[in-house]
Amino acid sequence: MINKIRSQLVQNAASILRSPVHFIPQFVQKKALLDSMLMVFREAIDDGDFAFLTDKWLKVEIRDMNLHWFISYQNDRLLVANKEVTEDVRFSGNLNDLVLIAGRKEDPDTLFFQRRLLIEGDTELGLEVKNLMDSIDLEQLPKPMQILLQQLAEFVHKGLSVPIARSNNEVVHAYSN
């Protein structure tokens, strides 16, 4: 019963969260995203690892939630655009897949080849972004954030892989994208 509830929550997470998230003002979303990125990428920023993104724009899109943000690196700082800009590269995926990537439960390359993670535009720039994401050491995050991210990714992973029995005794996996 618990597994079925978890599976339903995971499968419907984007539709459950979509409306409440869209009520959050854009400037609050932007600040939360920027603060999170500064925490996660602190060492990479200090080391100048974002220089490849100078005067370029990355669009990050959560397709099933109809959310997106534009990110750049200018004057040695990460920026999140206030308005639509022309992106040089776009990363897009569904909520559950992006949670699995963040929690290291799925490899971005695997999801890319399964067409669950799309990287469009400047492929060289996209590869730089992917490599930077792969190099992040989750141990640098505050312990409560590490635990939360790992537990969320585990919850999603289990929710997507729970078999569900159909009425004709056929068993299928809950994952559908």
Side-chain angles (χ1 to χ4, degrees):
M1 179 68 169
I2 297 287
N3 288 337
K4 186 174 182 178
I5 293 169
R6 176 184 15 231
S7 178
Q8 289 298 315
L9 281 173
V10 169
Q11 286 183 28
N12 296 305
S15 60
I16 292 167
L17 295 173
R18 187 178 309 121
S19 292
V21 168
H22 281 275
F23 283 115
I24 298 172
Q26 190 67 29
F27 76 91
V28 174
Q29 290 181 33
K30 175 186 163 186
K31 177 158 179 29
L33 177 64
L34 190 55
D35 288 350
S36 298
M37 289 177 52
L38 291 173
M39 184 186 321
V40 171
F41 294 111
R42 182 180 315 133
E43 187 175 312
I45 293 167
D46 291 344
D47 292 346
D49 292 346
F50 273 88
F52 69 89
L53 201 53
T54 300
D55 298 326
K56 305 276 185 189
W57 287 98
L58 162 66
K59 181 179 183 179
V60 177
E61 181 177 28
I62 305 175
R63 288 189 308 261
D64 55 352
M65 291 188 65
N66 197 26
L67 288 173
H68 64 270
W69 301 274
F70 295 92
I71 302 163
S72 186
Y73 184 76
Q74 297 176 18
N75 301 320
D76 299 323
R77 320 178 324 168
L78 277 176
L79 299 175
V80 177
N82 288 325
K83 59 186 184 326
E84 298 277 328
V85 296
T86 302
E87 74 264 13
D88 296 283
V89 66
R90 176 179 8 169
F91 273 65
S92 63
N94 288 332
L95 176 64
N96 288 330
D97 291 331
L98 297 176
V99 168
L100 292 172
I101 290 170
R104 304 285 200 246
K105 291 288 183 185
E106 283 283 358
D107 177 54
D109 290 330
T110 301
L111 297 182
F112 174 77
F113 288 114
Q114 293 174 352
R115 299 191 188 277
R116 292 168 43 197
L117 173 67
L118 299 179
I119 304 171
E120 301 170 297
D122 183 333
T123 53
E124 186 175 325
L125 186 60
L127 185 58
E128 292 271 2
V129 172
K130 188 201 82 60
N131 289 340
L132 182 64
M133 288 172 30
D134 285 343
S135 73
I136 296 306
D137 181 7
L138 296 181
E139 299 292 319
Q140 295 175 4
L141 296 175
K143 197 64 169 172
M145 187 178 231
Q146 285 179 43
I147 293 168
L148 177 65
L149 182 58
Q150 289 169 345
Q151 288 179 345
L152 180 61
E154 183 66 23
F155 185 85
V156 169
H157 182 71
K158 285 181 179 177
L160 292 175
S161 59
V162 171
I164 297 175
R166 289 195 174 168
S167 58
N168 62 358
N169 295 329
E170 175 187 8
V171 175
V172 295
H173 285 286
Y175 186 82
S176 62
N177 226 4

